[in-house]
Amino acid sequence: MTHSAPPAVPRFPVSVTVDLVIFTVRDDALHVLLVERGKEPFLGGSALPGGYVRPDEGLDEAALRELREETGLDGGRLHLEQLRSYGDPGRDPRGRVITVAYLALGPDLPAPVAGTDAARAFWAPVGEALRADSGLSFDHGAILADAVERARSKLEYTTVATSFCREPFTVSDLRHVYEVIWGIALDPSNFRRKVTRTAGFLEPTGERRTSETGRPAALYRFGGAAVMSPPLLRSGDIAGRGAGGGSGRG
Amino acid sequence: MTHSAPPAVPRFPVSVTVDLVIFTVRDDALHVLLVERGKEPFLGGSALPGGYVRPDEGLDEAALRELREETGLDGGRLHLEQLRSYGDPGRDPRGRVITVAYLALGPDLPAPVAGTDAARAFWAPVGEALRADSGLSFDHGAILADAVERARSKLEYTTVATSFCREPFTVSDLRHVYEVIWGIALDPSNFRRKVTRTAGFLEPTGERRTSETGRPAALYRFGGAAVMSPPLLRSGDIAGRGAGGGSGRG
DNA sequence: AGACTTTCTAGTCACCCTGACCATAATGGG
DNA sequence: CCCATTATGGTCAGGGTGACTAGAAAGTCT
């Protein structure tokens, strides 16, 4: 306070990375794509896929590139949004590293491609990934927890749940996404009424798919609408429920 | 694709800053705190307050410090949340600068303190700040637009509107915040019913305030609840309306 | 083929919330 | 004392929701 001069060190060694939380619904649980780290620090530990932002690319661009590298998918029918940035000093032992976390949602994706770091990539149930706080490197446990929270709340009032379904899909496919991520059972009839009456949510294809058992279900495509209002549930507060078998976060 | 080696340049010169979008409601318009830049680039232009993140502080910490420096307020009864990060190459002519934008909401704040850069700080109606795209330096026009969008949507389903009111406040004070930011008129009776019946939103103080005219209004304090469900409006989509532009509310 | 199971899909109904509206209370001013 | 103004309370019809019942359309088992 003795002098009002600006800080003497406006610039110092810092790196910027993007980290991806890639979600998909497999079987009856929400899964996240993790990589086994191939170098220090945390060699052999699990972490979110990610990498350094290059000098000539923007943040979204870098996230899209990493996504393509890890999953082989171009961000076509696949949701990608910025989640939040994390930059506590000491979050990376190598030095000051600010990371911009992205959230990606996609249908049951093909077998993960080996990352550019020659690290093994695999799908892990988020419940396990969160419970094994021992497992995730850096502050990726906290990032994952924030991502789960974001995904749960976005399902309430947007149509992103369709990003988890490969087109064409049935109403039951869509309902299954909600049930897995929220960890609750939804009434099939009421769910159908809600999503079919929400303008722009579902677009009928006219075809039907005959499953192994039961009456064949009509097939739909995503209708293009972004928001759903009023929200799907009247109750609102979905947060904190057990999805994917996780006991939740502290 | 010829070789799978990692990028050769993981680290390059980059700086990290925090920029603040500080909103308040003055008179009948949403205002944002801007600074007149005291040095190049954009010398003399308007910009969001902000500054470099220091080597030893986290992002939230840096935002809190900047907020204190600019407004003289410690983040007591004042909402502060991370908005988003912006890092397009070329957004800053000085080089590669990634900025983490924060959104701050506060009651009609005291006269702005001169920034540490000896730059003049002032309140500007967001309508003007956005319209005068000529005015805002860097990509701060886009950041401001995102912040307005965030503020509008958060009013729908959270209780952050109370952050704009100095305690104790009346229901009309609170309603005025919504009307200004959304640019619509709300029915006083229905608004009261909604906010008073939402558990944890308002906490009666038992006192009343007699305004210049009309029946005295009961005074309330913030009740501590974070979310409001169902949302305040049935219609939902508030985005895209003219708020704070001074063009009047319909 | 017929009964059974399973899932999809269409209704019904009571309840609550909302938005529109009317009415009354409580203050200051002419 | 009437009036303007704001605060606050109440009514009422309509729509959406959750709980529930019922029928439709497939496969399976005997």
Side-chain angles (χ1 to χ4, degrees), chain A residues 64 67 73-79:
Chain A
L64 217 47
L67 181 64
L73 293 184
D74 46 4
R77 269 295 300 125
L78 181 137
H79 182 80

Side-chain angles (χ1 to χ4, degrees), chain A residues 119-135:
Chain A
R120 194 173 68 90
F122 60 99
W123 291 109
V126 297
E128 290 182 15
L130 281 177
R131 190 177 324 120
D133 235 330
S134 51

Side-chain angles (χ1 to χ4, degrees), chain B residues 5 26 37 49 57-58 62 75 78 86 111 117 124 141 166 176 179 183 201 210-211 224 226 233-234:
Chain B
R26 318 190 85 191
R37 286 188 55 79
E57 67 183 357
L78 183 136
Y86 301 80
D117 298 358
R166 195 184 312 281
H176 186 241
E179 293 182 329
F201 198 169
T210 166
S211 179
L233 289 190
R234 178 186 290 172

Side-chain angles (χ1 to χ4, degrees), chain A:
Chain A
M1 290 302 191
T2 52
H3 55 350
S4 60
V9 188
R11 183 174 279 181
F12 57 95
V14 54
S15 301
V16 177
T17 61
V18 293
D19 284 321
L20 265 55
V21 180
I22 309 173
F23 281 147
T24 198
V25 173
R26 319 190 87 191
D27 309 319
D28 290 327
L30 182 65
H31 283 65
V32 60
L33 187 70
L34 297 181
V35 297
E36 186 182 317
R37 287 188 54 80
K39 44 183 176 181
E40 291 291 350
F42 300 104
L43 199 160
S46 297
L48 297 171
Y52 289 98
V53 176
R54 296 180 183 172
D56 59 337
E57 67 183 357
L59 302 177
D60 293 2
E61 206 175 337
L64 217 47
R65 172 178 56 76
E66 290 287 343
L67 181 64
R68 200 164 32 231
E69 287 178 3
E70 298 291 343
T71 66
L73 293 184
D74 46 4
R77 269 295 300 125
L78 181 137
H79 182 80
L80 180 66
E81 70 176 47
Q82 195 184 113
L83 176 63
R84 202 196 137 87
S85 293
Y86 301 81
D88 280 350
R91 63 171 292 278
D92 191 318
R94 288 168 294 187
R96 193 67 195 273
V97 179
I98 276 77
T99 195
V100 185
Y102 279 78
L103 174 64
L105 312 179
D108 195 351
L109 296 163
V113 182
T116 52
D117 297 359
R120 194 173 68 90
F122 60 99
W123 291 109
V126 297
E128 290 182 15
L130 281 177
R131 190 177 324 120
D133 235 330
S134 51
L136 290 197
S137 313
F138 307 102
D139 52 358
H140 288 185
I143 297 177
L144 177 58
D146 288 349
V148 171
E149 193 56 39
R150 170 81 66 97
R152 278 187 190 152
S153 68
K154 287 215 98 172
L155 252 58
E156 289 192 66
Y157 60 96
T158 73
T159 60
V160 287
T162 56
S163 303
F164 286 106
C165 300
R166 195 183 312 281
E167 295 183 333
F169 54 86
T170 69
V171 174
S172 291
D173 292 338
L174 188 62
R175 179 166 49 86
H176 186 240
V177 169
Y178 282 89
E179 293 182 329
V180 163
I181 296 182
W182 284 348
I184 60 175
L186 298 173
D187 183 88
S189 182
N190 292 336
F191 181 83
R192 150 174 297 275
R193 181 180 58 191
K194 174 70 181 185
V195 296
T196 53
R197 287 190 186 173
T198 297
F201 198 168
L202 296 187
E203 183 181 303
T205 66
E207 318 230 321
R208 0 186 101 254
R209 173 197 297 161
T210 166
S211 180
E212 41 191 28
T213 175
R215 175 177 172 177
L219 290 170
Y220 296 86
R221 218 184 308 278
F222 175 54
V227 298
M228 172 173 37
S229 103
L232 186 60
L233 289 191
R234 178 186 287 172
S235 51
D237 193 46
I238 281 294
R241 293 179 186 271
S247 58
R249 50 172 170 146

Side-chain angles (χ1 to χ4, degrees), chain B residues 172 175 188-189 192-193 213-218 234:
Chain B
S172 292
R175 178 166 49 87
S189 182
R192 152 175 297 276
R193 181 180 58 194
T213 174
R215 175 177 171 176
R234 178 186 290 172

Side-chain angles (χ1 to χ4, degrees), chain B residues 2 19 97 117 125 131 139 144 195-196 200 203 215 235 241:
Chain B
T2 52
D19 284 321
V97 179
D117 298 358
R131 191 179 322 124
D139 53 358
L144 177 57
V195 296
T196 54
E203 182 181 303
R215 175 177 171 176
S235 51
R241 293 179 186 270

Side-chain angles (χ1 to χ4, degrees), chain B residues 147-160:
Chain B
V148 171
E149 193 56 39
R150 171 81 66 96
R152 279 186 190 153
S153 68
K154 288 216 97 172
L155 252 58
E156 289 192 64
Y157 60 98
T158 72
T159 60
V160 287

